[in-house]
Amino acid sequence: MLGSSIGQVLSHGVGVAISPLALVAIIALLTTPRAVANAVTFAITWIVALAAVVAVLVVVGGLVGANHHDRPATWVGWAKLVIGLAALAIAAQQARRALHPEPAPPERSSERDHATLGIIALATTLAMVNPKNLTQLAAAAVTISSVTPGHGARVIASVVFLLVASLCVTVPLAVRLLAGQRATAALTSWKDWATRHNATIMAVLLTILGTKSIGDAIAALTG
């Protein structure tokens, strides 16, 4: 059952990991005077924020009986259906933005933006307030609480999910630590690409993940 849970949450972890705005933010921090310290603060905050949401949702799922006699409860299928429909609605909104792009606002930076509290606030907002992330965190938590019996197994599945979901902030940081200033050009190109194609990426990603959640819901409700 643990293997099944991990297999199912991987796609939701990827859904969170593909976060162009978080990628842009951490790469921008890697060009500041305290590059590594600022980026580490952002990455740690991102991971802690995601972990807090997943922990709360998994606990709630356990309390309301998501796993009923070692099988997902009936309401889990309906929850996945709602999550899938929400993801498709967000995908449609992003598709409209991709088809009718608005001029990007000029980049502004201040010392306050690079202060520790500002970085923590930014990372928390991008991790927890992003509607795309919320759909995937909810889907992962529902899966973990309904498919994985036992607290230890749920913790393991949650950790695997968080490791995948944090790749958007850990990979740029690792590249910077390993390559130093030589990584600046590559990271900047990643940032520029993510900025240009943010809406398109989100539209395609959420269409796929929303369809998957709806498919899982149909399978659960008709199985």
Side-chain angles (χ1 to χ4, degrees):
M1 299 296 282
L2 174 59
S4 175
S5 177
I6 291 175
Q8 292 184 51
V9 300
L10 286 178
S11 61
H12 301 302
V14 172
V16 176
I18 301 178
S19 295
L21 294 181
L23 181 69
V24 169
I26 195 165
I27 292 176
L29 290 172
L30 286 169
T31 64
T32 60
R34 300 176 63 251
V36 174
N38 288 339
V40 168
T41 299
F42 185 94
I44 291 175
T45 304
W46 172 274
I47 295 170
V48 171
L50 294 182
V53 175
V54 171
V56 169
L57 293 178
V58 169
V59 170
V60 170
L63 292 176
V64 298
N67 185 278
H68 184 67
H69 298 302
D70 293 334
R71 291 179 59 85
T74 302
W75 67 262
V76 169
W78 291 107
K80 290 186 176 182
L81 180 62
V82 171
I83 292 168
L85 292 173
L88 291 181
I90 301 170
Q93 182 183 50
Q94 293 295 326
R96 286 195 295 270
R97 291 182 180 176
L99 293 172
H100 306 287
E102 299 178 356
E107 292 189 13
R108 292 180 296 179
S109 180
S110 67
E111 289 299 322
R112 186 181 63 180
D113 297 329
H114 302 154
T116 300
L117 289 179
I119 293 170
I120 291 173
L122 176 62
T124 302
T125 300
L126 291 177
M128 299 177 66
V129 181
N130 186 329
K132 182 265 296 180
N133 283 1
L134 291 177
T135 63
Q136 299 313 300
L137 290 169
V142 167
T143 299
I144 292 170
S145 59
S146 64
V147 176
T148 316
H151 298 302
R154 290 178 181 176
V155 170
I156 294 172
S158 298
V159 169
V160 172
F161 169 78
L162 290 171
L163 289 174
V164 176
S166 300
L167 289 176
C168 62
V169 296
T170 56
V171 169
L173 178 58
V175 170
R176 174 63 170 77
L177 291 174
L178 292 173
Q181 293 296 337
R182 293 174 297 171
T184 301
L187 292 174
T188 300
S189 68
W190 294 3
K191 178 171 71 72
D192 294 341
W193 184 86
T195 301
R196 289 196 304 271
H197 302 291
N198 175 45
T200 302
I201 295 170
M202 290 298 96
V204 173
L205 176 67
L206 285 166
T207 298
I208 295 171
L209 293 173
T211 302
K212 179 185 181 300
S213 290
I214 291 174
D216 290 344
I218 293 173
L221 294 171
T222 59

